[in-house]
Amino acid sequence: MANFIARRLGLAVLVMLTISFLSFIMLKMSGDLAISMAGEGSGADYVEFLRKTYGWDKPLVVQYWNWLLNALSGDIGTSFYYGSPVTTLIAERMPATLALGAMAIVMALVVAIPLGMSAGRHQGKFVDRIALFIALLGVSTPIFWLSFVLILWLGLQWAILPISGGGSVRHLLMPAMALAFYSMPAIIRISRAGMIDVMRSDYIRTARAKGLRPRQIYLRHALRNTLVPVVAVASVQFGFLLGGSVVVENIFAVHGIGYLTWEAINQNDYPVVQAALLTVSAAYVVLTLLADVVNVMIDPRIRLN
């Protein structure tokens, strides 16, 4: 297990270095930061002064190397707009995004896993059709439209939940519902497909031949093997919720990483945008690593492969 985790950690570091380099280059190619920072009507001398001050007159590779050295020491830049260290801004906004993402993925798992597995057990029957319909609806429904519908029904017409802001669980319920509904289709489909494959396997036939009751077969033999792909998909979906919360956090005025990213894009606050991209990417990498470890614990054969 130690070797397995060490290999995965080495791969995670390589992935993060690649992402940091690509995001650095792409943001640099999006425009001249000195001109954006100087503002309209600024003289050429001031623009050139900014380039030299921030080292933007050097080759891109040199700029990236200097940035990487600072990042490894814990300094990933200072916000042009707020004037605060980016790490401070990310640390302040991260709890809201994590709370929202965690609530959404729990909602999605609680509904989607039982529904998907029931659909797999009863393929072609009523519960299977309901599950496929919900999965199709989740894929087809724009998340911003669903957010506005929730605000209209739960926030304005029935007035049972606050429509914006943060600070309590009630404020996060509606944005979490919108995100959860968007994540459910993938979990439903993978749970359903996994259950269908497991129920057709030889060891399930053997268990039936031994005279085990359907409940024993389902809980002792089918459920565990079905969870392996579900864990992988759930980790990816959780990372997606953290990165894809930009729209939802803005609609519901939740001041998390997504809201901060939207503000930074509007203000050309390059260090914050880059830090937000890296934070979300790091979340993906960590969640994938955790999913691999959990899957090995569930099914040790994966380690050998």
Side-chain angles (χ1 to χ4, degrees), residues 199-237:
M199 295 303 288
R200 290 173 178 173
S201 59
D202 292 337
Y203 67 88
I204 294 295
R205 293 193 190 97
T206 303
R208 285 173 175 158
K210 289 180 178 178
L212 294 179
R213 289 178 296 179
R215 184 181 180 85
Q216 290 177 308
I217 295 173
Y218 176 68
L219 294 178
R220 292 184 183 179
H221 301 280
L223 186 61
R224 185 174 179 177
N225 290 322
T226 306
L227 285 178
V228 172
V230 174
V231 170
V233 170
S235 67
V236 173
Q237 287 299 311

Side-chain angles (χ1 to χ4, degrees), residues 55-233:
W56 296 335
D57 57 335
K58 298 176 181 176
L60 283 178
V61 176
V62 176
Q63 292 183 46
Y64 172 72
W65 178 250
N66 292 333
W67 175 86
L68 183 61
L69 292 178
N70 291 329
L72 292 175
S73 63
D75 178 14
I76 55 175
T78 301
S79 167
F80 298 156
Y81 180 67
Y82 290 99
S84 304
V86 175
T87 50
T88 304
L89 293 173
I90 296 292
E92 289 174 351
R93 303 298 185 94
M94 182 55 82
T97 298
L98 284 177
L100 177 60
M103 187 179 293
I105 195 66
V106 168
M107 286 181 178
L109 291 175
V110 167
V111 176
I113 290 179
L115 186 59
M117 290 185 174
S118 297
R121 286 185 64 194
H122 306 285
Q123 188 180 8
K125 297 185 179 178
F126 179 73
V127 65
D128 188 25
R129 293 173 185 173
I130 291 293
L132 292 177
F133 175 75
I134 292 175
L136 180 62
L137 197 62
V139 171
S140 308
T141 305
I143 196 167
F144 67 89
W145 182 85
L146 177 61
S147 300
F148 288 129
V149 169
L150 290 174
I151 290 175
L152 182 64
W153 284 354
L154 303 180
L156 298 178
Q157 186 169 353
W158 297 335
I160 58 177
L161 289 174
I163 62 174
S164 65
S168 70
V169 174
R170 294 184 71 247
H171 284 90
L172 296 180
L173 280 175
M174 269 202 290
M177 287 179 193
L179 288 172
F181 192 71
Y182 203 65
S183 296
M184 282 171 49
I187 302 173
I188 289 175
R189 288 185 180 278
I190 202 71
S191 303
R192 176 180 180 273
M195 181 57 71
I196 290 173
D197 286 341
V198 167
M199 295 303 288
R200 290 173 178 173
S201 59
D202 292 337
Y203 67 88
I204 294 295
R205 293 193 190 97
T206 303
R208 285 173 175 158
K210 289 180 178 178
L212 294 179
R213 289 178 296 179
R215 184 181 180 85
Q216 290 177 308
I217 295 173
Y218 176 68
L219 294 178
R220 292 184 183 179
H221 301 280
L223 186 61
R224 185 174 179 177
N225 290 322
T226 306
L227 285 178
V228 172
V230 174
V231 170
V233 170

